[in-house]
């Protein structure tokens, strides 16, 4: 039951939103007639609706009713350089005038693959797709073909795209539309090395272990310290293919992904998002003997793979432009140091807001590199969250194994508080990704961050005043 003050606030924030966005509301009504829930992605369904975007540039996007947003959604994490970065946009424009699909080979696909092999430690050879979902599907198929085994291990609360294998969770029950035969081949474990050891003990039916190298949901739920190295050792001993899903983390924290930062090289790496400079694209890169199962030379183990838009010239051009900036010798000073500095400023700003609001231990902001996550845990009585939000602190890292902690971090902000916060932020011209965090890009300036912190302080004050926190 909502408290009366909450209902009032719900009404007030929503009223303001509805009054300010008449064109978005009209479009939403039209969308409901042709699109389920009026949207094209389950993560973009908002109550009462998300605003409709007209155009975007740098750190901002602009909606159809003329509002400007400081954007932290950043193309679901694909826009490391912000919207319409000049070099990437120009590369795409130049390519459009030369044609967007040749139905044949082009030099761009070679240059794109060469850049991946240069940057990503595990990458000896590459195959391209149109999305990250396809990349993880193919990585799993490669592992099955290489080992002759059918099962896979993934970890609870993790995400690898929308395909059947990802959809299976801890219950082992096939979700709507997924064959039980698929669910029977998916083993979902907690992120504890002992659980993986136990699963592999005396068994020879597991083809692959897959996990997001930076932890669940772009680091919302970090992996326990040392987990990647432990998995590497174990999977090598058991001859199980180790797959890192670096679809978000690839090129995000540094040019070589989490594998370069942690010095752990998987057998296969899945890439997408930043890979294609904000255009559709995905890739599996890894050991040449595994990727070569896509070559006719693999004989009876040959995997036939089609895909109309694999390495299409437009995505390749944008991808080459983005990866060339990342491969440049000054990438640390021009890209990674500044975005981390801005993200530190934002995280510290949000945590000051929480401290000033007396929300220590109940709300905090954390994250790695350019990524931030906001966790509100208003009813918390049993977990001592780090005051500065440093969930990577050695002492705190241990308790990450606890399932309560994991569930709360992954949830971030419980409903209906999340919707309230989103409305408060939308009304103040700031957009997070999925309402619980986001990505700082090269285009975000210190004054964008300060404006965001001010908007956030206003949003928290509004929530608090009306009894939400
Ligand atoms: C870790 C991870 N893996 C896979 C995917 C799927 O990628 P795509 O949306 O390009 O299919 C995503 C998408 O957000 C992701 O975050």
């Amino acid at each position: 039951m909502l408290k009366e003050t909450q209902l009032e606030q719900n009404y007030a924030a929503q009223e303001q939103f509805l009054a300010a966005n008449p064109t978005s509301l009209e479009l939403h009504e039209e969308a409901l007639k042709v699109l389920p829930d009026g949207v094209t992605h389950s993560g973009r369904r908002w109550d009462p609706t998300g605003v409709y975007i007209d155009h975007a540039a740098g750190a901002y996007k602009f909606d159809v009713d003329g509002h400007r947003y400081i954007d932290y959604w950043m193309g679901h994490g694909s826009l490391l350089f912000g919207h319409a970065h000049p070099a990437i946009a120009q590369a795409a424009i130049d390519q459009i005038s030369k044609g967007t699909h040749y139905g044949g080979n082009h030099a761009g696909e070679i240059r794109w693959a060469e850049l991946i092999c240069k940057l990503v430690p595990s990458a000896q050879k590459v195959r391209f797709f149109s999305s990250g979902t396809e990349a993880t599907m193919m990585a799993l198929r490669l592992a099955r073909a290489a080992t002759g085994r059918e099962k896979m291990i993934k970890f609870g609360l993790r995400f690898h795209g929308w395909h059947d294998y990802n959809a299976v969770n801890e219950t082992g029950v096939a979700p709507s539309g997924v064959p039980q035969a698929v669910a029977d081949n998916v083993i979902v474990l907690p992120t504890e090395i002992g659980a993986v050891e136990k699963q592999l003990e005396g068994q020879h039916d597991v083809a692959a272990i897959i996990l997001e190298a930076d932890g669940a949901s772009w680091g919302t739920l970090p992996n326990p310290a040392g987990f990647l190295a432990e998995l590497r050792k174990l999977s090598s001993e058991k001859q199980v293919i180790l797959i890192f899903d670096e679809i978000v983390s690839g090129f995000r924290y540094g040019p070589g992904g989490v594998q370069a930062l942690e010095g752990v090289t998987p057998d296969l790496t899945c890439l997408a998002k930043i890979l294609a400079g904000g255009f559709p694209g995905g890739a599996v890169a890894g050991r040449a003997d595994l990727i070569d199962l896509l070559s006719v030379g693999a004989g009876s183990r040959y995997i036939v793979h089609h895909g109309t838009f694999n390495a299409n010239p437009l995505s390749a051009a944008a991808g080459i432009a983005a990866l060339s900036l990342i491969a440049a010798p000054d990438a640390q000073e021009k890209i990674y140091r500044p975005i981390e500095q801005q993200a530190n400023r934002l995280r510290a700003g949000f945590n000051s807001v929480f401290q000033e609001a007396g929300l220590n231990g109940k709300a905090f902001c954390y994250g790695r590199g350019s990524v931030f996550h906001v966790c509100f845990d208003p009813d918390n009585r049993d977990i001592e969250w780090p005051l500065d939000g440093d969930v990577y602190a050695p002492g705190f890292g241990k308790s990450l194994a606890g399932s309560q902690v994991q569930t709360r971090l992954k949830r971030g902000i419980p409903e209906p508080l999340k919707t309230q916060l989103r409305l408060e932020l939308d009304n103040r011209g700031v957009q997070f990704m999925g309402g619980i965090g986001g990505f700082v890009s090269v285009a975000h300036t210190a004054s964008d961050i300060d404006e965001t912190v001010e908007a956030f302080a206003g949003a928290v004050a509004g929530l608090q005043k009306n009894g939400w926190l």
Side-chain angles (χ1 to χ4, degrees):
M1 270 291 281
L2 296 178
K3 287 191 261 170
E4 209 168 295
T5 48
Q6 288 176 328
L7 281 172
E8 268 167 31
Q9 172 60 9
N10 188 17
Y11 182 73
Q14 191 157 307
E15 273 299 281
Q16 191 184 338
F17 178 85
L18 295 175
N21 294 290
T23 319
S24 278
L25 290 172
E26 268 171 41
L27 287 170
H28 177 58
E29 289 304 317
E30 289 172 30
L32 283 172
K33 293 182 193 141
V34 285
L35 305 170
D37 281 340
V39 294
T40 53
H41 184 298
S42 299
R44 295 186 203 143
R45 196 189 68 76
W46 290 107
D47 202 13
T49 175
V51 293
Y52 281 75
I53 302 301
D54 178 70
H55 63 284
Y60 311 123
K61 54 191 186 191
F62 301 84
D63 74 13
V64 287
D65 288 295
H67 309 116
R68 187 203 76 169
Y69 298 88
I70 305 178
D71 182 28
Y72 296 94
W73 203 306
M74 278 294 145
H76 294 240
S78 63
L79 300 171
L80 184 68
F81 298 95
H83 294 280
H85 180 274
I88 300 172
Q90 194 57 52
I93 290 164
D94 292 348
Q95 183 58 50
I96 288 174
S97 61
K98 287 164 49 185
T100 57
H101 201 311
Y102 304 139
N105 307 331
H106 60 103
E109 60 202 19
I110 309 171
R111 303 296 160 246
W112 199 12
E114 283 171 348
L115 279 162
I116 296 169
C117 292
K118 179 175 169 188
L119 293 168
V120 181
S122 62
Q124 295 172 347
K125 277 195 174 176
V126 179
R127 174 57 67 107
F128 287 108
F129 315 95
S130 296
S131 68
T133 296
E134 291 168 79
T136 59
M137 271 166 65
M138 178 55 86
L140 292 167
R141 190 182 291 184
L142 285 166
R144 289 192 294 266
T147 58
R149 306 172 192 162
E150 295 207 347
K151 292 193 192 298
M152 60 172 275
I153 290 176
K154 66 170 199 158
F155 298 95
L157 306 174
R158 267 62 183 173
F159 181 74
H160 304 291
W162 60 266
H163 54 70
D164 290 355
Y165 290 92
N166 176 72
V168 181
N169 64 22
E170 294 82 344
T171 63
V173 178
S176 174
V178 174
Q180 187 59 45
V182 169
D184 291 345
N185 280 309
V186 180
I187 302 160
V188 185
L189 297 178
T191 47
E192 291 159 24
I193 197 65
V196 187
E197 274 166 357
K198 195 162 159 226
Q199 182 65 43
L200 295 179
E201 192 64 53
Q203 302 286 342
H204 302 285
D205 53 359
V206 173
I209 300 172
I210 185 167
L211 81 167
E212 293 144 290
D214 57 343
S217 301
W218 32 292
T220 303
L221 182 49
N223 292 318
F227 191 54
L228 296 181
E230 288 170 335
L231 282 179
R232 174 67 286 178
K233 189 162 170 286
L234 185 62
S235 56
S236 297
E237 276 164 24
K238 300 286 180 183
Q239 293 174 335
V240 172
I241 304 299
L242 182 62
I243 304 169
F244 281 1
D245 180 339
E246 295 235 45
I247 284 166
V248 173
S249 61
F251 317 111
R252 158 108 0 235
Y253 306 107
V258 170
Q259 58 194 273
L261 292 175
E262 301 207 5
V264 181
T265 306
D267 300 302
L268 293 172
T269 300
C270 303
L271 298 163
K273 300 197 189 258
I274 296 171
L275 170 82
F279 283 72
V284 170
R287 273 170 41 193
D289 63 311
L290 295 176
I291 304 288
D292 276 341
L293 292 169
L294 287 153
S295 153
V296 285
S300 62
R301 293 192 302 164
Y302 173 44
I303 296 174
V304 179
H305 169 235
H306 300 282
T308 300
F309 286 100
N310 296 344
N312 73 87
L314 194 50
S315 297
I320 292 167
L323 296 195
S324 299
L325 293 169
I326 290 167
D330 58 1
Q332 280 304 335
E333 300 93 80
K334 289 257 175 73
I335 303 171
Y336 295 105
R337 206 166 302 141
I339 48 175
E340 179 158 19
Q341 272 166 2
Q342 303 299 11
N344 284 340
R345 190 178 180 100
L346 182 138
R347 287 185 286 255
F350 284 11
N351 281 326
S352 303
V353 169
F354 290 140
Q355 273 161 30
E356 276 161 34
L359 293 167
N360 288 353
K362 293 188 175 233
F364 59 98
C365 179
Y366 65 101
R368 178 177 187 172
S370 54
V371 182
F372 69 94
H373 316 279
V374 175
C375 182
F376 280 93
D377 203 3
D379 303 322
N380 176 37
R381 274 183 210 93
D382 43 4
I383 300 171
E384 235 180 90
W385 296 110
L387 285 189
D388 59 355
D390 184 7
V391 294
Y392 302 97
F396 190 72
K398 282 206 185 100
S399 63
L400 280 175
S403 67
Q404 277 233 355
V405 173
Q406 298 219 7
T407 314
R408 289 198 216 168
L409 279 183
K410 169 87 181 188
R411 177 188 67 177
I413 308 174
E415 284 291 5
L417 184 57
K418 184 159 86 170
T419 296
Q420 285 305 305
L421 177 65
R422 187 195 61 86
L423 285 167
E424 295 277 4
L425 288 174
D426 260 14
N427 289 342
R428 291 173 170 82
V430 170
Q431 274 209 350
F432 286 179
M433 163 147 148
I436 58 164
F439 303 96
V440 174
S441 78
V442 172
H444 288 88
T445 62
S447 82
D448 292 326
I449 302 293
D450 293 346
E451 196 182 321
T452 303
V453 173
E454 205 181 310
F456 193 74
V460 168
L463 293 173
Q464 218 174 16
K465 184 169 132 234
N466 293 282
W468 286 95
L469 291 171

